[in-house]
Amino acid sequence: MAKGKGRGPTPKAEDRHWHGKRQKARAVKNAKRTGTPTVGPSGRKTAAPDRARPARPAGARRANGEVPELVTGRNPVVEALRAGVPGTALYVTSGTDERVRESIQLAADRNIPLLETGKNELDRLTDGAVHQGIALQVRPYRYAHPDDLLKGAAPLIVAVDGITDPRNLGAIVRSASAFGASGVVVPERRAAGVTAGAWKTSAGTLANVPVAQATNLTRQLKAYQKAGCFVAGLDARGGVTVADLEVAAGPFVLVVGSEGKGLGRLVADTCDMLVTIPMPGTAESLNAGVAAGIALYEVSRRR
């Protein structure tokens, strides 16, 4: 997208030239939505879970960014440090293993405090997780407010509906960064948050792309519409391909469905339009992170 002078504040929805197209798109969408829904940009989880599971400090209710998260185990910890996951402390009981020594060196290079501790103390801190004598405490993530993503005259926002795998969220954030999105919105409940797994998959782009939490995703999408954004949901039921989205040149919100169920009914009903990715091959669906990347590439061509 060529850079130039700013085009001023975002006009109201009714003042934009595609306001009539939105009404027409809704009518087309309602006509298309008949029969049994099929899964759109979803797919199986391809990555195997870490053998040593991420843990939380004892007493922590939920690893959703409100409390520090602990990554435990020699392989998970060294991989997290290699990926630039923001750590605040490295707990170690012994430095004899090669992976532990590398973790200590990586932490020292990034000025992450090294805390020597006993096995019993680390057992308590990790709440019984298999830690193999090492744990990395990850800084709590500070979520942005959804309204903070309405930057410039033509913001591009990615909203995710029920993504439960942090690795998929990290992949979506990475694509959002590559194609110039203003940020990503996630539901506050029953969805993946910014964890160490998301940090690792995002390849560090979470440091530059804000993620906001919405108490109610449907209500937030309606708020974006009132602010002048066109909201398109990525779904196999869509009557328009992502390559034909002319309205993507303006203020735009792309909604990506969950790994297994696609878009929820209320979210799909709220979207101005449902769009699809043509797949002439034999695959019936795409992983949510892959689908988001393809769609964002097509959107960026319009911008």
Side-chain angles (χ1 to χ4, degrees), residues 201-254:
T201 313
S202 78
T205 55
L206 269 165
N208 303 312
V209 178
V211 176
Q213 277 189 328
T215 304
N216 185 297
L217 183 59
T218 301
R219 189 182 306 140
Q220 185 56 50
L221 293 177
K222 291 179 180 178
Y224 284 146
Q225 289 169 333
K226 290 181 179 179
C229 295
F230 191 94
V231 178
L234 197 56
D235 196 284
R237 297 167 291 183
V240 178
T241 67
V242 290
D244 296 327
L245 273 174
E246 296 181 5
V247 294
F252 189 75
V253 179
L254 176 70

Side-chain angles (χ1 to χ4, degrees), residues 5-79:
K5 296 183 179 180
R7 290 176 284 180
T10 302
K12 295 182 179 179
E14 56 269 21
D15 295 334
R16 292 195 161 269
H17 64 82
W18 60 73
H19 185 63
K21 294 183 180 181
R22 169 177 289 165
Q23 308 306 317
K24 182 178 180 180
R26 282 186 173 278
V28 172
K29 184 189 74 171
N30 291 334
K32 290 283 184 181
R33 296 192 62 206
T34 58
T36 304
T38 56
V39 176
S42 60
R44 64 184 185 277
K45 298 179 181 180
T46 57
D50 291 326
R51 181 168 297 178
R53 65 179 176 89
R56 303 191 300 273
R61 293 183 179 181
R62 187 179 172 211
N64 65 349
E66 297 173 359
V67 295
E69 179 187 3
L70 285 175
V71 179
T72 62
R74 294 166 186 168
N75 282 334
V77 168
V78 73
E79 289 171 3

Side-chain angles (χ1 to χ4, degrees), residues 4 81 89 104 151 155 160 162 224:
L81 287 168
I104 292 173
K151 297 179 180 179
V160 297
Y224 284 146

